[in-house]
Amino acid sequence: MGQRQHSGTDLAWAVLGGDPRLAERVTYGGPPGLLPARLPVMDLARTTVAVCALAAAELTAERTGGPVPAVRVDDGAVATAFLSDRLVRIDGRAPSTFAPLSRFWRTADGWVRTHANYPHHHARLLSALGLPEAAGPAEVEAELAGRRAEEVQETVYSAGGLAVAARTPEEWAAHPQGVTVAAHPLLTVETLDDGTPPRLLAGTGEQGGAPSPLAGGPSLPAAGLRVLDLTRVLAGPVATRTLALLGADVLRIDAPALPESQDAHSDTGFGKRSTALDLGSRSGRATFESLLADADVVVTGYRPGALDRYGLAPEALAERRPGLVVARVSAWGDDGPWGDRRGFDSLVQVATGIAAVEADAGPASEDAKASEESTARGGIPGALPAQALDHGTGYLLAAAVLRGLTERARVGGSGVATLALTRTARWLVHGLGGPERGDGPAADAPAGEAAPGYDAERYLRETDSPVGRLRYALPPVSFDGGPVDWATPPGRCAADAPRWR
């Protein structure tokens, strides 16, 4: 391992506000041919992991006063981690990634994709379509076959459900939300000059700070830091899982009425604790405020504005906790006509044209134009070999937090980072070179298991946990002296007390 590749790393690091000279600290290696797709998915994956690891290395140097450790990116570790939600096993059982009603459906004029993994989304979908609660795929298929894709999309959305009509990249570029997204960079980072002086990190002299383990053993750049995690599947939890790896005390908060899937948490809950708080109640708000008073970071992953009524807008949080680093991620972005809509990776792929690019165009036509024409003719839309928008955005989100902590230590103030799956999708389709940069159609085997030199078992481990024996993917974030695994396995959702360690 030692090859230096520039791909998108320099650009992403520059968008994060990092010193461009530090990008030379990153080397790449590992087996080739992983995460095959028409689009450059592997470039996206290694780039996002690289900048996350580099931000962690930079923060380590800030805390120790030493040089920035060298960063190593192993494609095998990266590809395996991007499939962590599919590779996790609980007592040998593979969790269900998608529910029966979360899939593509043929409509009268094209295709639509629905998402019904959560019970409330399942119920809203069926209600919007006028179908009984017991309806299954056959009934939904028959109902949608006679409807137009756009009409289904709007009807289901109006009922609080999730459905998106399939589009080509050109159609998305002309869509009002696509136009809005194109006006933004990959991510935005804003410093709120609230007069807060540079805040020393815990373990480096801050009054009341916990002792830092940096004097010996693995370097934990986030040791002593406290992170409130208000996110859901999948980008946000990947980011906070990474912060937990790096030593942060991460406390995940869910609403009692909308608990997270235990299977999902068994993948993304490593190193964290999980609690439930009703922010609509007086006691729940009081508990949250006591946690916020000692927090360093708040990460949110709900629709823009959804948490504002609880006083959780970034500016409101920073006003009550000066020096806070706030990171937020959404599906469609924080403005535009779809800014307040729910969304997931699979739906963003469909809306932005990724599914059209990755469509099965048949053996005679393998280029992107042919695949889009195939979709228009009725060919089945495709999908990326991993939920790469979620995972990639998650590592960018963690990188933004780490860079925000470094800047807080240097110049003070509060920081706000904003990301969206649609921005990452646009970067994948346009910023990283587009379909001509990919490796060809996705293989049937996940992560390119037939790729020469790739042995998935090398990047997997097993551990006991409160929910059973877990098989899981090792973290791909790696730098000299850094951690190689999480300190604790996931626990049960909402089983922990709402307090800091």
Side-chain angles (χ1 to χ4, degrees):
M1 181 178 293
Q3 183 180 3
R4 172 75 173 95
Q5 300 175 351
H6 291 276
S7 60
T9 302
D10 295 340
L11 172 62
W13 185 245
V15 172
L16 285 162
D19 182 343
R21 295 171 296 181
L22 293 184
E24 297 295 331
R25 304 293 292 163
V26 185
T27 56
Y28 300 82
L34 303 180
L35 300 180
R38 291 188 175 92
L39 290 165
V41 175
M42 196 63 228
D43 274 357
L44 170 75
R46 71 167 66 92
T47 293
T48 55
V49 169
V51 295
C52 182
L54 186 56
E58 178 192 39
L59 184 57
T60 299
E62 185 71 23
R63 300 189 69 170
T64 62
V68 174
V71 170
R72 304 178 304 279
V73 178
D74 181 334
D75 277 7
V78 171
T80 306
F82 266 59
L83 288 159
S84 66
D85 50 303
R86 303 182 190 181
L87 294 174
V88 67
R89 296 292 183 270
I90 307 164
D91 287 331
R93 175 182 62 84
S96 175
T97 305
F98 288 102
L101 299 188
S102 296
R103 48 167 275 195
F104 285 107
W105 307 90
R106 191 75 170 91
T107 64
D109 62 341
W111 291 89
V112 69
R113 181 151 191 170
T114 56
H115 194 287
N117 285 7
Y118 289 104
H120 58 293
H121 291 156
H122 179 277
R124 292 169 186 172
L125 172 64
L126 293 177
S127 176
L129 299 178
L131 295 173
E133 294 182 6
E139 291 87 349
V140 174
E141 184 174 33
E143 176 66 26
L144 294 182
R147 297 197 181 197
R148 297 177 61 84
E150 288 277 351
E151 182 264 324
V152 172
Q153 171 187 284
E154 296 306 312
T155 299
V156 174
Y157 163 70
S158 296
L162 292 151
V164 172
R167 293 173 174 81
T168 65
E170 290 76 15
E171 290 169 340
W172 176 249
H175 188 278
Q177 190 63 30
V179 172
T180 300
V181 171
H184 293 289
L186 174 61
L187 60 93
T188 54
V189 179
E190 179 185 5
T191 298
L192 303 178
D193 185 9
D194 54 15
T196 306
R199 178 180 293 179
L200 295 175
L201 302 168
T204 59
E206 183 179 20
Q207 185 175 2
S212 171
L214 294 174
S219 298
L220 297 175
L225 296 166
R226 291 166 168 169
V227 178
L228 290 173
D229 175 4
L230 289 84
T231 68
R232 294 176 75 80
V233 177
L234 177 61
V238 166
T240 52
R241 179 181 68 182
T242 303
L243 297 176
L245 168 76
L246 299 171
D249 181 4
V250 177
L251 181 62
R252 171 163 175 154
I253 298 175
D254 284 288
L258 293 175
E260 180 58 285
S261 158
Q262 181 62 55
D263 280 355
H265 189 63
S266 294
D267 169 43
T268 60
F270 281 88
K272 309 178 191 178
R273 291 175 300 120
S274 169
T275 194
L277 278 181
D278 179 5
L279 297 181
S281 71
R282 181 177 299 179
S283 62
R285 287 292 300 277
T287 300
F288 180 85
E289 291 302 316
S290 69
L291 292 167
L292 177 65
D294 292 317
D296 295 279
V297 178
V298 174
V299 185
T300 66
Y302 289 78
R303 290 175 295 139
L307 299 175
D308 290 4
R309 66 183 183 274
Y310 303 118
L312 301 185
E315 295 78 9
L317 287 167
E319 183 177 352
R320 303 200 303 280
R321 175 59 168 161
L324 191 70
V325 173
V326 181
R328 53 181 183 161
V329 60
S330 64
W332 307 107
D334 58 349
D335 55 2
W338 284 17
D340 62 347
R341 294 198 175 192
R342 301 170 180 85
F344 293 92
D345 182 309
S346 59
L347 301 182
V348 174
Q349 289 188 40
V350 173
T352 60
I354 289 173
V357 173
E358 299 294 339
D360 181 6
S365 302
E366 298 297 351
D367 59 50
K369 184 175 185 297
S371 68
E372 291 180 15
E373 292 173 349
S374 172
T375 302
R377 293 193 305 268
I380 300 175
L384 299 178
Q387 294 193 73
L389 304 181
D390 263 332
H391 285 273
T393 306
Y395 288 109
L396 287 174
L397 190 66
V401 168
L402 295 165
R403 286 246 62 249
L405 291 167
T406 296
E407 291 302 316
R408 185 185 74 172
R410 293 173 177 173
V411 301
S414 300
V416 181
T418 302
L419 297 91
L421 301 189
T422 46
R423 297 194 197 181
T424 305
R426 176 175 170 77
W427 187 43
L428 174 64
V429 175
H430 301 289
L432 285 169
E436 66 271 17
R437 288 290 307 278
D439 300 315
D444 291 335
E449 289 179 354
Y454 176 69
D455 177 12
E457 294 301 320
R458 175 184 172 189
Y459 306 104
L460 298 171
R461 292 292 185 274
E462 289 193 0
T463 187
D464 291 320
S465 80
V467 298
R469 185 74 176 172
L470 291 184
R471 186 189 80 170
Y472 64 99
L474 285 170
V477 172
S478 177
F479 56 94
D480 283 353
V484 297
D485 205 345
W486 290 275
T488 60
R492 295 191 179 277
C493 290
D496 296 297
R499 60 172 178 261
W500 296 116
R501 287 194 175 107

